[in-house]
């Protein structure tokens, strides 16, 4: 596989606790479900959580930092998912400092991954510290995960600024396609004025909407059981992630469902209703 055939997608946010790692796992698993060879890379050095959500924490022997520091090769550190042969995880170190990530080391690992994988999903730490900057720097596309709250949206706006100025593509005067994924969206709380509306968030961030993930017990259940949402039982959250990933792949989304999220997305021009 040539480098041009692969794509690095960073999943990022300004604020922690918005569902970024859950989203990284869901995107990676669904891309693999659709036949793409995919690896999800945990950039959150010191706070490793991706392996827990992917259900492979007991299988971590070597990690991302071990590969960068030549303590192990890439094939030793990669963990193959037991449920899908096209899905792999590169875990983060739980004992090292974020300074263990160097730009040269990260580039070397990503270059090697590009030879084998069609999609490389980078699970970025929140904020703009070193681990996050390393995850953002080499991205071809970015999924910005945001809750409909002022602080989360404000911090995401800052991340957009970083993507536009401190990445390899920015240095080459190239744009990074950016997608907004709104998580933990609760219609009743929006109506009460306790959350920002989709339109409010879009007005502030001014990037295309990829999807709306409703607040759902399925998300917490999936995380606690080590099963990505898109590999779990049918749920509103799983459907929302599947539709978002279709949009990420440039595919038209058609549904017969008549739930409130469908109506909302139809109103925003992101959904086509199939004939009855």
């Amino acid at each position: 596989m040539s480098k041009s055939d692969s794509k690095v997608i960073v999943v990022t946010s300004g604020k922690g606790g918005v569902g970024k790692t859950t989203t990284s796992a869901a995107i990676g698993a669904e891309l693999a479900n659709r036949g793409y060879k995919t690896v999800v890379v945990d950039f959150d050095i010191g706070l490793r959580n991706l392996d827990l959500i992917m259900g492979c924490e007991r299988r971590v022997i070597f990690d991302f930092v071990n590969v960068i520091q030549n303590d192990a090769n890439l094939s030793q550190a990669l963990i193959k998912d037991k449920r899908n042969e096209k899905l792999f995880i590169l875990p983060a170190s739980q004992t090292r400092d974020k300074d263990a990530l160097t730009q040269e080391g990260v580039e070397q690992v990503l270059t090697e991954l590009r030879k084998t994988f069609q999609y490389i999903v980078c699970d970025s730490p929140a904020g703009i510290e070193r681990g996050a900057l390393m995850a953002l720097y080499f991205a071809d596309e970015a999924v910005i995960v945001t809750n409909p709250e002022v602080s989360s949206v404000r911090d995401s706006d800052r991340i957009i600024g970083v993507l536009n100025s401190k990445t390899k593509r920015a240095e080459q005067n190239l744009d990074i396609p950016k997608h907004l994924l709104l998580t933990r969206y609760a219609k009743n709380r929006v109506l009460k004025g306790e959350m920002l509306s989709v339109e409010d968030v879009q007005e502030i961030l001014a990037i295309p909407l990829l999807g709306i993930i409703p607040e759902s017990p399925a998300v917490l259940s999936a995380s606690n059981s080590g099963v990505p949402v898109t590999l779990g039982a049918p749920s509103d959250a799983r459907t929302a992630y599947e539709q978002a990933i279709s949009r990420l792949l440039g595919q038209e989304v058609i549904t017969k469902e008549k739930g409130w999220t469908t109506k909302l997305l139809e109103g925003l021009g992101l959904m086509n209703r199939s004939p009855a």
Side-chain angles (χ1 to χ4, degrees):
M1 182 183 297
S2 70
K3 182 179 176 182
S4 61
D5 292 330
S6 67
K7 185 170 286 187
V8 175
I9 299 173
V10 65
V11 179
T12 182
S13 70
K15 190 173 181 287
V18 299
K20 186 166 26 52
T21 300
T22 296
T23 295
S24 297
I27 290 175
E30 182 59 17
L31 288 170
N33 281 344
R34 300 189 188 198
Y36 299 102
K37 193 171 183 183
T38 303
V39 60
V40 189
V41 183
D42 192 348
F43 275 79
D44 204 352
I45 307 301
L47 291 174
R48 192 174 82 200
N49 282 316
L50 179 67
D51 53 304
L52 286 169
I53 289 178
M54 300 289 281
C56 62
E57 68 277 8
R58 294 181 182 177
R59 298 168 60 201
V60 177
I61 306 297
F62 296 109
D63 57 53
F64 194 1
V65 173
N66 290 141
V67 178
I68 286 176
Q69 298 185 344
N70 294 315
D71 297 325
N73 60 45
L74 191 55
S75 62
Q76 287 176 292
L78 284 170
I79 299 171
K80 188 176 184 178
D81 189 84
K82 291 181 177 180
R83 297 153 297 204
N84 190 315
E85 64 178 13
K86 292 187 177 291
L87 179 61
F88 290 76
I89 300 97
L90 181 58
S93 170
Q94 214 165 13
T95 58
R96 307 293 182 94
D97 186 83
K98 288 177 172 58
D99 289 338
L101 292 182
T102 63
Q103 187 166 303
E104 296 75 19
V106 170
E107 182 172 25
Q108 187 174 355
V109 172
L110 291 178
T111 298
E112 197 66 26
L113 290 172
R114 281 183 182 273
K115 295 176 183 177
T116 307
F117 293 95
Q118 291 166 283
Y119 283 97
I120 301 159
V121 180
C122 300
D123 181 30
S124 169
I128 54 171
E129 43 72 43
R130 186 172 184 82
L133 291 175
M134 290 295 99
L136 295 169
Y137 184 77
F138 295 101
D140 297 316
E141 291 192 39
V143 175
I144 298 163
V145 183
T146 306
N147 290 162
E149 300 166 356
V150 172
S151 61
S152 179
V153 175
R154 180 192 63 197
D155 290 348
S156 290
D157 202 24
R158 192 176 183 194
I159 290 293
I160 291 170
V162 173
L163 286 164
N164 287 338
S165 60
K166 293 186 176 182
T167 59
K168 188 172 183 178
R169 287 182 69 88
E171 291 170 359
Q172 298 169 340
N173 292 317
L174 297 171
D175 182 45
I176 291 183
K178 292 172 279 292
H179 313 277
L180 169 63
L181 189 70
L182 202 53
T183 55
R184 295 181 180 168
Y185 193 86
K187 179 185 177 184
N188 59 333
R189 293 188 64 191
V190 173
L191 293 174
K192 291 177 184 176
E194 297 173 0
M195 281 184 169
L196 298 174
S197 69
V198 179
E199 292 82 2
D200 290 337
V201 178
Q202 283 188 292
E203 185 176 347
I204 296 167
L205 297 182
I207 59 174
L209 181 65
L210 188 67
I212 300 168
I213 312 301
E215 199 156 29
S216 170
V219 174
L220 182 59
S221 174
S223 299
N224 287 339
S225 59
V227 179
V229 177
T230 46
L231 291 181
S235 66
D236 52 353
R238 176 173 175 170
T239 298
Y241 271 117
E242 289 170 346
Q243 292 173 350
I245 291 152
S246 290
R247 295 186 194 98
L248 187 64
L249 294 171
Q251 299 170 356
E252 187 178 39
V253 180
I254 300 174
T255 182
K256 293 181 180 179
E257 295 176 11
K258 298 180 181 179
W260 66 265
T261 50
T262 299
K263 293 176 182 176
L264 179 57
L265 290 165
E266 280 183 330
L268 295 166
L270 287 174
M271 188 78 76
N272 289 318
R273 178 74 59 80
S274 65

